[in-house]
Amino acid sequence: MADGTKFLLLFLLLNSLTLCFCTKQDIRCLKSMQQSVIDPKSVLKSSWNFENETDCFICRFTGVECWFTYENMVLSLLLGNLGLQGAFHQGLHDCASMIGLDLLNNNFSGPIPPDFSRQVPYLTSLDLSYNRFSGSIPQNISIMTYLNLLNLQHNQLNGQIPP
């Protein structure tokens, strides 16, 4: 085979490879989040389209920040002020690389799951303020060693923040 043909075949092969590294766990996390919340303004329903699996598609979803633009790995969920409702989402463990969660000023209610800190152990920022969460602040929130920002104000939580 001529050198020019080899080069062209190599170029076409490399050009057809995707540079987007997709994480099925993160996609599963977002799908379950979308299904578990009540979204009266249809923000997630309209912008979180799982049918169009183009490269790095979840990085273009409203409120989703990815680690890099060429991969589907959730860095943060910034879902504040969207009017979302429902209980605290239980499927966050699939967003294994997530370090930020902002649910500020929505209508979430009910308890914060006691195993929450095990679901997302690497969070550095957690803002659950201005919702209707109730019950006790989970004791094992104190084992979240990377947590730098914790905002729980204006909820119906009781007890102290664990030391």
Side-chain angles (χ1 to χ4, degrees):
M1 209 183 287
D3 286 337
T5 306
K6 287 180 186 177
F7 175 76
L8 179 62
L9 287 175
L10 180 62
F11 174 77
L12 290 173
L13 175 67
L14 291 175
N15 201 29
S16 68
L17 294 175
T18 179
L19 294 176
C20 183
F21 303 99
C22 300
T23 304
K24 292 188 188 309
Q25 274 188 294
D26 289 84
I27 295 168
R28 191 169 47 242
C29 172
L30 296 178
K31 278 183 179 180
S32 67
M33 169 70 90
Q34 183 188 44
Q35 293 167 355
S36 73
V37 301
I38 299 166
D39 183 12
K41 297 179 185 177
S42 295
V43 175
L44 302 187
K45 184 178 181 182
S46 64
S47 77
W48 290 20
N49 180 4
F50 294 97
E51 301 299 318
N52 181 13
E53 293 189 15
T54 57
D55 290 347
C56 308
F57 69 104
I58 68 170
C59 300
R60 293 189 277 284
F61 288 178
T62 297
V64 175
E65 283 189 341
C66 290
W67 280 91
F68 300 100
T69 56
Y70 54 84
E71 65 184 6
N72 276 341
M73 288 179 60
V74 175
L75 171 70
S76 298
L77 285 178
L78 306 174
L79 303 177
N81 301 303
L82 297 179
L84 302 174
Q85 303 171 14
F88 195 93
H89 179 58
Q90 295 286 329
L92 292 175
H93 62 276
D94 283 328
C95 284
S97 62
M98 183 170 67
I99 64 167
L101 179 60
D102 179 350
L103 300 178
L104 162 76
N105 199 26
N106 282 292
N107 291 306
F108 289 107
S109 59
I112 299 170
D115 66 337
F116 168 71
S117 62
R118 286 180 182 66
Q119 288 185 40
V120 282
Y122 303 112
L123 282 187
T124 60
S125 172
L126 174 62
D127 191 344
L128 303 178
S129 62
Y130 294 92
N131 281 284
R132 293 181 291 131
F133 290 114
S134 59
S136 298
I137 299 169
Q139 287 296 309
N140 61 10
I141 207 164
S142 64
I143 66 170
M144 297 178 78
T145 55
Y146 301 104
L147 195 61
N148 292 315
L149 177 120
L150 174 64
N151 193 346
L152 301 173
Q153 69 179 343
H154 296 282
N155 280 289
Q156 297 154 6
L157 298 166
N158 56 48
Q160 304 252 335
I161 296 175

